[in-house]
Amino acid sequence: MNNMISELKNHRSVRQFTDEQVSDEQLNAIISAGQMASTSSNVQAYSVIAITEPELKGKLALLAGNQAYVEQCSVFLVWCADLYRLKQVTAPHLGDQLSYEDSMENFIVATIDVALAAQNAAIAAESLGLGIVYIGGIRNQISEVSELLDLPELVYPVFGMCVGYPDQENSVKPRLPIEAVLHRNRYNKEQIIEQVKVYDVTTKQYLLERTEGKKDTPWSQMMATRLALPHRLHMKKFLESKGFMNK
Amino acid sequence: MNNMISELKNHRSVRQFTDEQVSDEQLNAIISAGQMASTSSNVQAYSVIAITEPELKGKLALLAGNQAYVEQCSVFLVWCADLYRLKQVTAPHLGDQLSYEDSMENFIVATIDVALAAQNAAIAAESLGLGIVYIGGIRNQISEVSELLDLPELVYPVFGMCVGYPDQENSVKPRLPIEAVLHRNRYNKEQIIEQVKVYDVTTKQYLLERTEGKKDTPWSQMMATRLALPHRLHMKKFLESKGFMNK
Protein backbone atom coordinates (compact mmCIF):
# COMPACT_ATOMS: atom_id res chain seq x y z
CA MET A 1 0.00 0.00 0.00
CA ASN A 2 1.44 3.36 -1.01
CA ASN A 3 0.99 6.81 0.59
CA MET A 4 -1.81 7.83 -1.72
CA ILE A 5 -3.87 4.76 -0.87
CA SER A 6 -3.12 5.14 2.85
CA GLU A 7 -4.40 8.70 2.71
CA LEU A 8 -7.56 7.64 0.86
CA LYS A 9 -8.17 4.95 3.45
CA ASN A 10 -7.61 7.40 6.24
CA HIS A 11 -10.63 9.56 5.37
CA ARG A 12 -13.07 10.56 8.09
CA SER A 13 -15.69 13.31 7.96
CA VAL A 14 -14.95 16.43 10.00
CA ARG A 15 -17.80 18.35 11.63
CA GLN A 16 -15.88 20.66 13.93
CA PHE A 17 -13.49 23.32 12.71
CA THR A 18 -11.04 25.83 14.17
CA ASP A 19 -11.21 29.54 13.29
CA GLU A 20 -8.24 29.29 10.95
CA GLN A 21 -9.21 30.31 7.43
CA VAL A 22 -8.71 28.50 4.13
CA SER A 23 -6.66 30.79 1.88
CA ASP A 24 -7.60 31.74 -1.68
CA GLU A 25 -4.54 29.91 -2.88
CA GLN A 26 -5.69 26.73 -1.11
CA LEU A 27 -9.21 27.09 -2.50
CA ASN A 28 -7.85 27.47 -6.02
CA ALA A 29 -5.64 24.39 -5.59
CA ILE A 30 -8.63 22.39 -4.32
CA ILE A 31 -11.01 23.41 -7.10
CA SER A 32 -8.47 23.03 -9.88
CA ALA A 33 -7.61 19.53 -8.60
CA GLY A 34 -11.37 18.89 -8.77
CA GLN A 35 -11.45 20.08 -12.35
CA MET A 36 -8.90 17.45 -13.38
CA ALA A 37 -11.26 14.57 -12.57
CA SER A 38 -12.68 12.70 -15.54
CA THR A 39 -15.71 14.27 -17.19
CA SER A 40 -18.05 12.70 -19.72
CA SER A 41 -16.94 13.78 -23.25
CA ASN A 42 -15.34 16.81 -21.59
CA VAL A 43 -18.74 18.43 -20.89
CA GLN A 44 -17.63 19.59 -17.41
CA ALA A 45 -21.29 19.93 -16.49
CA TYR A 46 -20.88 21.34 -12.97
CA SER A 47 -20.24 24.52 -11.05
CA VAL A 48 -19.22 25.15 -7.49
CA ILE A 49 -20.26 28.10 -5.35
CA ALA A 50 -17.76 28.96 -2.60
CA ILE A 51 -19.69 30.48 0.29
CA THR A 52 -17.65 32.67 2.63
CA GLU A 53 -20.16 35.43 3.55
CA PRO A 54 -21.05 34.69 7.19
CA GLU A 55 -24.72 35.62 6.78
CA LEU A 56 -25.13 33.37 3.77
CA LYS A 57 -23.41 30.49 5.55
CA GLY A 58 -25.75 31.02 8.49
CA LYS A 59 -28.81 30.84 6.26
CA LEU A 60 -27.54 27.72 4.51
CA ALA A 61 -26.77 26.07 7.87
CA LEU A 62 -30.40 26.54 8.85
CA LEU A 63 -31.77 25.40 5.49
CA ALA A 64 -29.58 22.28 5.66
CA GLY A 65 -31.32 21.17 8.84
CA ASN A 66 -29.63 23.41 11.37
CA GLN A 67 -26.15 21.97 10.92
CA ALA A 68 -23.82 24.30 12.83
CA TYR A 69 -20.67 23.19 10.99
CA VAL A 70 -22.00 24.67 7.74
CA GLU A 71 -21.73 28.06 9.41
CA GLN A 72 -18.59 27.27 11.37
CA CYS A 73 -16.40 25.99 8.53
CA SER A 74 -14.12 28.40 6.69
CA VAL A 75 -15.57 27.80 3.22
CA PHE A 76 -18.82 26.08 2.42
CA LEU A 77 -18.78 24.71 -1.12
CA VAL A 78 -22.07 24.13 -2.90
CA TRP A 79 -21.46 21.64 -5.71
CA CYS A 80 -23.99 22.02 -8.52
CA ALA A 81 -24.84 19.96 -11.57
CA ASP A 82 -24.83 22.57 -14.33
CA LEU A 83 -26.30 22.17 -17.79
CA TYR A 84 -27.12 25.88 -17.97
CA ARG A 85 -23.57 26.81 -19.00
CA LEU A 86 -23.64 24.28 -21.83
CA LYS A 87 -27.05 25.49 -22.98
CA GLN A 88 -25.90 29.12 -22.97
CA VAL A 89 -22.64 28.71 -24.83
CA THR A 90 -24.00 26.27 -27.41
CA ALA A 91 -27.06 28.38 -28.24
CA PRO A 92 -25.27 30.56 -30.84
CA HIS A 93 -24.07 27.39 -32.64
CA LEU A 94 -27.42 25.62 -32.49
CA GLY A 95 -29.84 28.34 -33.58
CA ASP A 96 -33.27 26.71 -33.93
CA GLN A 97 -31.91 23.16 -33.72
CA LEU A 98 -33.44 20.90 -31.08
CA SER A 99 -31.12 20.04 -28.18
CA TYR A 100 -31.26 17.53 -25.35
CA GLU A 101 -30.01 19.24 -22.21
CA ASP A 102 -33.27 18.12 -20.59
CA SER A 103 -32.71 14.38 -21.11
CA MET A 104 -32.42 11.91 -18.24
CA GLU A 105 -29.05 10.94 -19.72
CA ASN A 106 -27.69 14.47 -19.44
CA PHE A 107 -29.06 14.76 -15.90
CA ILE A 108 -27.07 11.65 -14.99
CA VAL A 109 -23.96 12.91 -16.78
CA ALA A 110 -24.06 16.21 -14.88
CA THR A 111 -24.66 14.48 -11.54
CA ILE A 112 -21.72 12.11 -12.09
CA ASP A 113 -19.47 14.93 -13.32
CA VAL A 114 -20.02 17.01 -10.20
CA ALA A 115 -19.46 14.03 -7.88
CA LEU A 116 -16.15 13.07 -9.54
CA ALA A 117 -14.89 16.65 -9.35
CA ALA A 118 -16.01 17.03 -5.74
CA GLN A 119 -14.28 13.84 -4.67
CA ASN A 120 -11.01 14.97 -6.25
CA ALA A 121 -11.43 18.29 -4.44
CA ALA A 122 -12.12 16.49 -1.14
CA ILE A 123 -8.89 14.51 -1.47
CA ALA A 124 -6.94 17.63 -2.40
CA ALA A 125 -8.34 19.45 0.65
CA GLU A 126 -7.44 16.58 2.96
CA SER A 127 -3.93 16.44 1.52
CA LEU A 128 -3.55 20.09 2.61
CA GLY A 129 -4.38 19.15 6.20
CA LEU A 130 -7.96 20.37 5.91
CA GLY A 131 -11.07 18.43 6.89
CA ILE A 132 -14.28 18.07 4.91
CA VAL A 133 -17.79 16.72 5.24
CA TYR A 134 -20.37 16.30 2.48
CA ILE A 135 -23.74 17.91 3.23
CA GLY A 136 -26.75 16.26 1.57
CA GLY A 137 -28.91 18.48 3.79
CA ILE A 138 -28.84 21.25 1.17
CA ARG A 139 -31.42 19.17 -0.68
CA ASN A 140 -33.81 19.47 2.30
CA GLN A 141 -35.07 22.84 1.12
CA ILE A 142 -33.60 22.83 -2.32
CA SER A 143 -35.81 25.59 -3.79
CA GLU A 144 -34.82 28.02 -1.04
CA VAL A 145 -31.13 27.13 -1.41
CA SER A 146 -31.31 27.61 -5.19
CA GLU A 147 -32.98 30.97 -4.82
CA LEU A 148 -30.51 32.16 -2.19
CA LEU A 149 -27.59 31.38 -4.51
CA ASP A 150 -29.23 32.75 -7.70
CA LEU A 151 -29.03 29.35 -9.41
CA PRO A 152 -30.56 29.55 -12.89
CA GLU A 153 -32.59 26.85 -14.64
CA LEU A 154 -30.70 23.66 -15.49
CA VAL A 155 -28.55 24.00 -12.37
CA TYR A 156 -29.21 22.11 -9.13
CA PRO A 157 -27.28 21.97 -5.86
CA VAL A 158 -26.25 18.31 -5.54
CA PHE A 159 -24.50 18.52 -2.17
CA GLY A 160 -22.57 20.92 -0.01
CA MET A 161 -19.09 20.44 1.42
CA CYS A 162 -17.70 22.05 4.57
CA VAL A 163 -13.98 22.80 4.29
CA GLY A 164 -11.81 23.98 7.14
CA TYR A 165 -9.11 23.13 9.66
CA PRO A 166 -10.26 20.14 11.77
CA ASP A 167 -10.91 20.64 15.44
CA GLN A 168 -11.68 17.00 16.14
CA GLU A 169 -10.10 13.62 15.62
CA ASN A 170 -12.74 11.09 14.56
CA SER A 171 -12.09 7.42 14.06
CA VAL A 172 -12.35 5.92 10.58
CA LYS A 173 -15.82 4.43 10.10
CA PRO A 174 -15.76 0.76 9.07
CA ARG A 175 -17.23 -0.02 5.65
CA LEU A 176 -19.07 -3.07 4.32
CA PRO A 177 -16.82 -6.12 3.81
CA ILE A 178 -15.36 -5.86 0.32
CA GLU A 179 -17.19 -9.08 -0.64
CA ALA A 180 -20.55 -7.31 -0.15
CA VAL A 181 -19.60 -4.70 -2.74
CA LEU A 182 -17.24 -6.37 -5.21
CA HIS A 183 -18.72 -9.00 -7.54
CA ARG A 184 -16.81 -11.16 -10.01
CA ASN A 185 -18.04 -11.13 -13.63
CA ARG A 186 -21.72 -11.25 -12.61
CA TYR A 187 -23.84 -9.86 -9.79
CA ASN A 188 -23.93 -12.37 -6.95
CA LYS A 189 -27.13 -12.03 -4.91
CA GLU A 190 -26.22 -14.84 -2.51
CA GLN A 191 -23.14 -13.26 -1.00
CA ILE A 192 -24.93 -10.10 0.12
CA ILE A 193 -27.01 -11.41 3.01
CA GLU A 194 -24.10 -13.25 4.62
CA GLN A 195 -21.70 -10.32 4.30
CA VAL A 196 -24.19 -7.86 5.74
CA LYS A 197 -24.57 -10.13 8.77
CA VAL A 198 -20.82 -9.81 9.32
CA TYR A 199 -21.09 -6.03 8.92
CA ASP A 200 -23.99 -5.85 11.37
CA VAL A 201 -21.67 -7.27 14.04
CA THR A 202 -18.89 -4.83 13.07
CA THR A 203 -21.15 -1.77 13.17
CA LYS A 204 -22.75 -2.81 16.45
CA GLN A 205 -19.32 -3.13 18.02
CA TYR A 206 -18.16 0.19 16.51
CA LEU A 207 -21.21 2.04 17.89
CA LEU A 208 -20.88 0.46 21.34
CA GLU A 209 -17.29 1.66 21.56
CA ARG A 210 -18.03 5.10 20.16
CA THR A 211 -21.01 5.78 22.42
CA GLU A 212 -19.53 4.13 25.50
CA GLY A 213 -22.13 1.41 25.49
CA LYS A 214 -25.17 3.62 24.85
CA LYS A 215 -25.96 2.58 21.27
CA ASP A 216 -25.69 -0.73 19.49
CA THR A 217 -27.95 -0.56 16.43
CA PRO A 218 -26.64 -2.80 13.64
CA TRP A 219 -26.28 -1.30 10.17
CA SER A 220 -29.18 -3.12 8.53
CA GLN A 221 -31.54 -1.80 11.17
CA MET A 222 -30.29 1.76 10.80
CA MET A 223 -30.77 1.44 7.06
CA ALA A 224 -34.33 0.15 7.59
CA THR A 225 -35.18 3.26 9.63
CA ARG A 226 -33.66 5.42 6.91
CA LEU A 227 -35.41 3.67 4.01
CA ALA A 228 -38.79 4.01 5.75
CA LEU A 229 -38.39 7.82 5.92
CA PRO A 230 -40.36 9.80 3.32
CA HIS A 231 -37.19 11.77 2.70
CA ARG A 232 -36.96 14.73 0.28
CA LEU A 233 -39.92 13.62 -1.82
CA HIS A 234 -39.90 17.04 -3.50
CA MET A 235 -36.80 16.20 -5.56
CA LYS A 236 -38.46 14.88 -8.71
CA LYS A 237 -40.85 17.78 -9.07
CA PHE A 238 -38.15 20.31 -8.26
CA LEU A 239 -35.75 18.90 -10.85
CA GLU A 240 -38.43 18.83 -13.54
CA SER A 241 -39.33 22.43 -12.73
CA LYS A 242 -35.68 23.39 -13.30
CA GLY A 243 -35.73 21.87 -16.78
CA PHE A 244 -34.10 18.52 -16.00
CA MET A 245 -35.23 15.03 -17.03
CA ASN A 246 -38.07 16.00 -19.28
CA LYS A 247 -36.94 13.54 -21.99
CA MET B 1 1.32 22.19 -4.36
CA ASN B 2 1.96 18.82 -2.69
CA ASN B 3 2.45 15.39 -4.29
CA MET B 4 -1.15 14.37 -3.89
CA ILE B 5 -2.42 17.44 -5.73
CA SER B 6 0.26 17.05 -8.43
CA GLU B 7 -0.90 13.49 -9.01
CA LEU B 8 -4.55 14.55 -9.20
CA LYS B 9 -3.65 17.24 -11.71
CA ASN B 10 -1.66 14.79 -13.75
CA HIS B 11 -4.67 12.64 -14.65
CA ARG B 12 -5.21 11.64 -18.25
CA SER B 13 -7.48 8.89 -19.58
CA VAL B 14 -5.73 5.78 -20.91
CA ARG B 15 -7.23 3.86 -23.83
CA GLN B 16 -4.37 1.55 -24.71
CA PHE B 17 -3.05 -1.12 -22.38
CA THR B 18 -0.18 -3.63 -22.26
CA ASP B 19 -0.80 -7.35 -21.63
CA GLU B 20 0.38 -7.10 -18.03
CA GLN B 21 -2.37 -8.12 -15.62
CA VAL B 22 -3.74 -6.30 -12.59
CA SER B 23 -3.26 -8.59 -9.56
CA ASP B 24 -5.99 -9.54 -7.11
CA GLU B 25 -4.09 -7.69 -4.42
CA GLN B 26 -4.08 -4.53 -6.54
CA LEU B 27 -7.78 -4.90 -7.31
CA ASN B 28 -8.58 -5.25 -3.62
CA ALA B 29 -6.49 -2.20 -2.76
CA ILE B 30 -8.29 -0.20 -5.47
CA ILE B 31 -11.80 -1.21 -4.42
CA SER B 32 -11.21 -0.83 -0.71
CA ALA B 33 -9.79 2.67 -1.32
CA GLY B 34 -13.02 3.30 -3.24
CA GLN B 35 -15.05 2.13 -0.27
CA MET B 36 -13.49 4.75 1.99
CA ALA B 37 -15.02 7.62 0.01
CA SER B 38 -17.84 9.50 1.72
CA THR B 39 -21.27 7.93 1.44
CA SER B 40 -24.62 9.50 2.28
CA SER B 41 -25.60 8.43 5.85
CA ASN B 42 -23.37 5.40 5.33
CA VAL B 43 -25.83 3.78 2.88
CA GLN B 44 -22.98 2.62 0.58
CA ALA B 45 -25.54 2.28 -2.20
CA TYR B 46 -23.28 0.88 -4.92
CA SER B 47 -21.70 -2.31 -6.19
CA VAL B 48 -18.89 -2.96 -8.60
CA ILE B 49 -18.59 -5.90 -10.96
CA ALA B 50 -15.00 -6.78 -11.90
CA ILE B 51 -15.04 -8.28 -15.37
CA THR B 52 -12.06 -10.46 -16.21
CA GLU B 53 -13.62 -13.23 -18.34
CA PRO B 54 -12.39 -12.50 -21.89
CA GLU B 55 -15.68 -13.43 -23.54
CA LEU B 56 -17.68 -11.16 -21.25
CA LYS B 57 -15.25 -8.28 -21.80
CA GLY B 58 -15.60 -8.84 -25.55
CA LYS B 59 -19.38 -8.64 -25.37
CA LEU B 60 -19.28 -5.52 -23.21
CA ALA B 61 -16.80 -3.88 -25.59
CA LEU B 62 -19.30 -4.36 -28.41
CA LEU B 63 -22.28 -3.19 -26.34
CA ALA B 64 -20.35 -0.09 -25.27
CA GLY B 65 -20.06 1.03 -28.89
CA ASN B 66 -17.26 -1.21 -30.07
CA GLN B 67 -14.60 0.24 -27.80
CA ALA B 68 -11.61 -2.10 -28.12
CA TYR B 69 -9.99 -0.99 -24.85
CA VAL B 70 -12.89 -2.46 -22.87
CA GLU B 71 -11.74 -5.85 -24.13
CA GLN B 72 -8.05 -5.07 -24.05
CA CYS B 73 -7.77 -3.81 -20.47
CA SER B 74 -6.86 -6.21 -17.69
CA VAL B 75 -9.98 -5.60 -15.56
CA PHE B 76 -13.13 -3.87 -16.68
CA LEU B 77 -15.04 -2.50 -13.70
CA VAL B 78 -18.76 -1.92 -14.01
CA TRP B 79 -19.80 0.56 -11.32
CA CYS B 80 -23.46 0.18 -10.35
CA ALA B 81 -25.83 2.25 -8.25
CA ASP B 82 -27.34 -0.37 -5.95
CA LEU B 83 -30.47 0.04 -3.85
CA TYR B 84 -31.25 -3.67 -4.17
CA ARG B 85 -28.83 -4.62 -1.36
CA LEU B 86 -30.45 -2.08 0.98
CA LYS B 87 -33.92 -3.29 0.06
CA GLN B 88 -32.96 -6.92 0.68
CA VAL B 89 -31.26 -6.52 4.03
CA THR B 90 -33.80 -4.07 5.45
CA ALA B 91 -36.83 -6.17 4.47
CA PRO B 92 -36.74 -8.35 7.63
CA HIS B 93 -36.73 -5.19 9.79
CA LEU B 94 -39.45 -3.43 7.83
CA GLY B 95 -42.07 -6.12 7.44
CA ASP B 96 -45.13 -4.49 5.84
CA GLN B 97 -43.88 -0.96 6.41
CA LEU B 98 -43.70 1.31 3.35
CA SER B 99 -40.18 2.17 2.20
CA TYR B 100 -38.76 4.69 -0.24
CA GLU B 101 -35.99 2.97 -2.17
CA ASP B 102 -37.82 4.09 -5.31
CA SER B 103 -37.64 7.82 -4.58
CA MET B 104 -35.82 10.30 -6.83
CA GLU B 105 -33.80 11.27 -3.74
CA ASN B 106 -32.51 7.74 -3.23
CA PHE B 107 -31.72 7.45 -6.94
CA ILE B 108 -29.56 10.56 -6.61
CA VAL B 109 -27.94 9.29 -3.41
CA ALA B 110 -26.98 5.99 -5.06
CA THR B 111 -25.65 7.73 -8.19
CA ILE B 112 -23.51 10.10 -6.11
CA ASP B 113 -22.28 7.28 -3.85
CA VAL B 114 -21.04 5.20 -6.77
CA ALA B 115 -19.31 8.17 -8.39
CA LEU B 116 -17.45 9.13 -5.20
CA ALA B 117 -16.27 5.54 -4.67
CA ALA B 118 -15.23 5.17 -8.30
CA GLN B 119 -13.21 8.37 -8.25
CA ASN B 120 -11.33 7.23 -5.14
CA ALA B 121 -10.70 3.92 -6.89
CA ALA B 122 -9.47 5.71 -10.02
CA ILE B 123 -6.97 7.69 -7.98
CA ALA B 124 -5.83 4.57 -6.13
CA ALA B 125 -5.33 2.75 -9.45
CA GLU B 126 -3.31 5.63 -10.90
CA SER B 127 -1.16 5.75 -7.76
CA LEU B 128 -0.23 2.11 -8.48
CA GLY B 129 1.01 3.05 -11.94
CA LEU B 130 -2.13 1.83 -13.65
CA GLY B 131 -4.20 3.76 -16.18
CA ILE B 132 -7.96 4.13 -16.27
CA VAL B 133 -10.73 5.47 -18.47
CA TYR B 134 -14.39 5.89 -17.58
CA ILE B 135 -16.80 4.30 -20.06
CA GLY B 136 -20.22 5.94 -20.30
CA GLY B 137 -20.82 3.71 -23.33
CA ILE B 138 -22.20 0.94 -21.11
CA ARG B 139 -25.37 3.04 -20.98
CA ASN B 140 -25.74 2.71 -24.79
CA GLN B 141 -27.44 -0.65 -24.49
CA ILE B 142 -28.10 -0.62 -20.80
CA SER B 143 -30.75 -3.39 -20.78
CA GLU B 144 -28.43 -5.80 -22.55
CA VAL B 145 -25.53 -4.94 -20.21
CA SER B 146 -27.76 -5.41 -17.15
CA GLU B 147 -28.95 -8.77 -18.39
CA LEU B 148 -25.45 -9.96 -19.21
CA LEU B 149 -24.27 -9.18 -15.68
CA ASP B 150 -27.37 -10.55 -13.90
CA LEU B 151 -28.15 -7.16 -12.38
CA PRO B 152 -31.34 -7.35 -10.29
CA GLU B 153 -34.00 -4.63 -9.94
CA LEU B 154 -32.87 -1.44 -8.19
CA VAL B 155 -29.37 -1.80 -9.64
CA TYR B 156 -28.16 0.10 -12.70
CA PRO B 157 -24.75 0.23 -14.37
CA VAL B 158 -23.71 3.88 -14.08
CA PHE B 159 -20.39 3.69 -15.94
CA GLY B 160 -17.61 1.28 -16.70
CA MET B 161 -13.91 1.76 -15.99
CA CYS B 162 -11.03 0.15 -17.86
CA VAL B 163 -8.07 -0.60 -15.59
CA GLY B 164 -4.68 -1.79 -16.78
CA TYR B 165 -1.03 -0.93 -17.43
CA PRO B 166 -0.86 2.05 -19.80
CA ASP B 167 0.62 1.56 -23.24
CA GLN B 168 0.36 5.20 -24.25
CA GLU B 169 1.40 8.57 -22.94
CA ASN B 170 -1.38 11.10 -23.49
CA SER B 171 -1.12 14.75 -22.71
CA VAL B 172 -3.24 16.26 -19.94
CA LYS B 173 -6.42 17.75 -21.46
CA PRO B 174 -6.92 21.43 -20.55
CA ARG B 175 -10.03 22.21 -18.49
CA LEU B 176 -12.28 25.27 -18.41
CA PRO B 177 -10.70 28.32 -16.74
CA ILE B 178 -11.38 28.06 -13.02
CA GLU B 179 -13.42 31.28 -13.22
CA ALA B 180 -15.97 29.52 -15.47
CA VAL B 181 -16.60 26.89 -12.79
CA LEU B 182 -15.98 28.57 -9.43
CA HIS B 183 -18.48 31.19 -8.29
CA ARG B 184 -18.24 33.37 -5.18
CA ASN B 185 -21.25 33.34 -2.83
CA ARG B 186 -23.77 33.45 -5.70
CA TYR B 187 -24.01 32.07 -9.21
CA ASN B 188 -22.53 34.57 -11.64
CA LYS B 189 -24.09 34.23 -15.10
CA GLU B 190 -22.03 37.04 -16.60
CA GLN B 191 -18.62 35.46 -16.17
CA ILE B 192 -19.48 32.30 -18.09
CA ILE B 193 -19.64 33.61 -21.65
CA GLU B 194 -16.33 35.46 -21.42
CA GLN B 195 -14.50 32.52 -19.82
CA VAL B 196 -15.79 30.04 -22.39
CA LYS B 197 -14.46 32.32 -25.13
CA VAL B 198 -11.02 31.99 -23.54
CA TYR B 199 -11.45 28.21 -23.36
CA ASP B 200 -12.54 28.03 -27.00
CA VAL B 201 -9.15 29.45 -27.96
CA THR B 202 -7.35 27.01 -25.61
CA THR B 203 -9.18 23.94 -26.94
CA LYS B 204 -8.73 24.99 -30.56
CA GLN B 205 -5.01 25.31 -30.00
CA TYR B 206 -4.85 22.00 -28.11
CA LEU B 207 -6.66 20.14 -30.91
CA LEU B 208 -4.50 21.72 -33.62
CA GLU B 209 -1.37 20.52 -31.85
CA ARG B 210 -2.75 17.08 -31.08
CA THR B 211 -4.02 16.39 -34.60
CA GLU B 212 -1.10 18.04 -36.36
CA GLY B 213 -3.28 20.77 -37.78
CA LYS B 214 -6.18 18.57 -38.92
CA LYS B 215 -8.79 19.60 -36.34
CA ASP B 216 -9.53 22.92 -34.70
CA THR B 217 -13.10 22.76 -33.39
CA PRO B 218 -13.53 24.99 -30.34
CA TRP B 219 -15.12 23.49 -27.21
CA SER B 220 -18.45 25.32 -27.44
CA GLN B 221 -18.97 24.00 -30.96
CA MET B 222 -18.13 20.43 -29.95
CA MET B 223 -20.58 20.75 -27.09
CA ALA B 224 -23.27 22.04 -29.48
CA THR B 225 -22.87 18.95 -31.65
CA ARG B 226 -23.11 16.78 -28.56
CA LEU B 227 -26.14 18.53 -27.08
CA ALA B 228 -28.02 18.20 -30.38
CA LEU B 229 -27.59 14.39 -30.32
CA PRO B 230 -30.66 12.42 -29.22
CA HIS B 231 -28.35 10.45 -26.95
CA ARG B 232 -29.49 7.47 -24.79
CA LEU B 233 -33.09 8.59 -24.68
CA HIS B 234 -34.01 5.17 -23.27
CA MET B 235 -32.55 5.99 -19.83
CA LYS B 236 -35.67 7.32 -18.12
CA LYS B 237 -37.87 4.42 -19.14
CA PHE B 238 -35.15 1.89 -18.31
CA LEU B 239 -34.57 3.29 -14.82
CA GLU B 240 -38.28 3.38 -14.06
CA SER B 241 -38.59 -0.23 -15.22
CA LYS B 242 -35.84 -1.18 -12.75
CA GLY B 243 -37.79 0.32 -9.86
CA PHE B 244 -36.01 3.67 -9.63
CA MET B 245 -37.51 7.16 -9.37
CA ASN B 246 -41.12 6.22 -9.04
CA LYS B 247 -41.67 8.67 -6.16
Side-chain angles (χ1 to χ4, degrees):
Chain A
M1 200 158 73
N2 58 34
N3 280 347
M4 180 71 99
I5 293 182
S6 311
E7 287 202 41
L8 293 174
K9 288 197 168 185
N10 200 30
H11 163 74
R12 68 279 316 269
S13 294
V14 172
R15 292 185 178 82
Q16 213 163 301
F17 300 95
T18 71
D19 288 339
E20 197 175 340
Q21 298 302 302
V22 174
S23 70
D24 255 14
E25 196 193 348
Q26 286 174 318
L27 181 62
N28 281 341
I30 292 167
I31 303 300
S32 50
Q35 288 190 267
M36 285 314 297
S38 294
T39 156
S40 180
S41 307
N42 203 25
V43 295
Q44 307 175 65
Y46 61 91
S47 281
V48 53
I49 327 280
I51 317 286
T52 49
E53 286 181 10
E55 203 191 320
L56 207 47
K57 277 199 287 175
K59 284 183 186 170
L60 288 168
L62 275 177
L63 288 171
N66 213 0
Q67 303 197 58
Y69 28 99
V70 171
E71 190 166 6
Q72 197 201 19
C73 68
S74 173
V75 189
F76 183 62
L77 298 176
V78 179
W79 291 91
C80 303
D82 186 347
L83 293 165
Y84 171 85
R85 184 173 55 228
L86 276 184
K87 177 78 177 162
Q88 287 301 105
V89 302
T90 57
H93 298 290
L94 287 172
D96 290 339
Q97 215 179 329
L98 189 64
S99 61
Y100 292 87
E101 63 285 348
D102 58 346
S103 70
M104 185 70 212
E105 165 66 13
N106 279 324
F107 171 79
I108 293 175
V109 160
T111 304
I112 297 170
D113 260 21
V114 72
L116 301 185
Q119 185 56 17
N120 253 23
I123 293 163
E126 288 177 343
S127 79
L128 294 169
L130 300 165
I132 68 109
V133 60
Y134 280 86
I135 304 292
I138 60 157
R139 298 194 299 274
N140 287 355
Q141 298 193 64
I142 196 164
S143 296
E144 289 80 356
V145 169
S146 300
E147 207 169 308
L148 203 57
L149 306 183
D150 294 341
L151 304 184
E153 68 274 13
L154 291 167
V155 175
Y156 88 96
V158 183
F159 42 71
M161 184 186 284
C162 300
V163 186
Y165 282 91
D167 196 22
Q168 63 177 176
E169 182 73 41
N170 284 336
S171 51
V172 171
K173 200 185 274 181
R175 295 295 198 258
L176 281 164
I178 190 168
E179 296 83 1
V181 169
L182 174 60
H183 303 250
R184 304 287 174 152
N185 293 302
R186 277 160 205 87
Y187 194 95
N188 182 340
K189 285 182 183 178
E190 281 67 39
Q191 73 191 21
I192 293 172
I193 307 289
E194 194 186 332
Q195 292 299 329
V196 168
K197 273 187 193 149
V198 175
Y199 190 52
D200 272 352
V201 177
T202 313
T203 45
K204 207 172 155 149
Q205 195 56 38
Y206 173 78
L207 256 189
L208 273 171
E209 280 165 24
R210 233 191 141 188
T211 64
E212 287 163 4
K214 282 177 209 139
K215 281 189 193 172
D216 69 348
T217 325
W219 183 73
S220 62
Q221 202 179 320
M222 283 198 277
M223 293 301 109
T225 308
R226 195 184 175 285
L227 219 51
L229 273 183
H231 203 41
R232 301 176 190 148
L233 294 184
H234 53 264
M235 285 301 294
K236 197 173 180 179
K237 218 169 174 177
F238 170 80
L239 291 168
E240 286 168 354
S241 79
K242 285 290 178 180
F244 288 106
M245 310 191 305
N246 295 317
K247 282 192 193 90
Chain B
M1 199 159 73
N2 57 36
N3 281 347
M4 181 71 98
I5 294 181
S6 311
E7 286 201 44
L8 293 173
K9 288 198 169 185
N10 200 29
H11 163 74
R12 68 280 317 268
S13 294
V14 172
R15 292 185 178 82
Q16 213 164 301
F17 301 95
T18 71
D19 288 338
E20 198 175 341
Q21 297 302 302
V22 174
S23 71
D24 256 13
E25 197 193 348
Q26 286 174 319
L27 181 62
N28 281 341
I30 291 166
I31 303 299
S32 50
Q35 288 190 266
M36 286 314 299
S38 294
T39 155
S40 180
S41 307
N42 203 25
V43 295
Q44 305 175 66
Y46 60 91
S47 282
V48 53
I49 327 279
I51 316 284
T52 48
E53 285 182 18
E55 203 191 319
L56 208 47
K57 277 198 288 175
K59 283 182 186 168
L60 288 167
L62 274 177
L63 288 171
N66 213 0
Q67 303 198 57
Y69 28 100
V70 171
E71 190 166 7
Q72 196 202 22
C73 68
S74 174
V75 190
F76 183 63
L77 298 175
V78 180
W79 292 92
C80 303
D82 186 348
L83 294 164
Y84 170 85
R85 185 172 56 228
L86 276 183
K87 177 78 176 161
Q88 286 302 106
V89 303
T90 57
H93 299 289
L94 287 172
D96 289 340
Q97 216 180 328
L98 188 65
S99 61
Y100 293 87
E101 64 283 349
D102 58 345
S103 70
M104 186 69 213
E105 166 66 13
N106 279 324
F107 171 79
I108 292 175
V109 161
T111 304
I112 297 170
D113 260 23
V114 72
L116 301 185
Q119 185 57 16
N120 253 22
I123 292 163
E126 288 177 343
S127 80
L128 294 169
L130 300 165
I132 67 110
V133 61
Y134 281 85
I135 304 291
I138 61 158
R139 298 194 302 274
N140 287 355
Q141 298 193 65
I142 195 164
S143 297
E144 289 79 356
V145 168
S146 300
E147 208 170 308
L148 203 58
L149 306 182
D150 294 339
L151 303 185
E153 68 273 13
L154 291 166
V155 175
Y156 88 94
V158 183
F159 42 72
M161 185 187 282
C162 299
V163 186
Y165 282 91
D167 197 20
Q168 61 177 176
E169 183 72 44
N170 284 335
S171 51
V172 172
K173 201 185 273 181
R175 295 295 198 257
L176 280 163
I178 192 168
E179 295 83 2
V181 169
L182 174 61
H183 303 249
R184 305 288 174 151
N185 293 301
R186 279 162 203 86
Y187 195 95
N188 182 340
K189 286 182 182 177
E190 280 67 39
Q191 73 192 22
I192 294 172
I193 306 291
E194 193 186 334
Q195 292 299 329
V196 169
K197 273 188 194 150
V198 175
Y199 190 52
D200 272 351
V201 177
T202 312
T203 45
K204 206 172 153 149
Q205 194 56 38
Y206 173 77
L207 256 190
L208 273 172
E209 279 165 23
R210 232 188 141 192
T211 62
E212 288 164 4
K214 283 179 209 138
K215 281 189 193 172
D216 68 349
T217 325
W219 183 73
S220 63
Q221 201 179 322
M222 282 198 276
M223 292 300 110
T225 308
R226 195 183 175 286
L227 219 52
L229 272 184
H231 203 38
R232 302 176 191 146
L233 294 184
H234 54 264
M235 285 303 293
K236 197 174 182 181
K237 218 168 174 179
F238 170 81
L239 290 167
E240 286 168 353
S241 80
K242 285 289 178 179
F244 289 105
M245 311 192 306
N246 294 316
K247 281 192 191 88

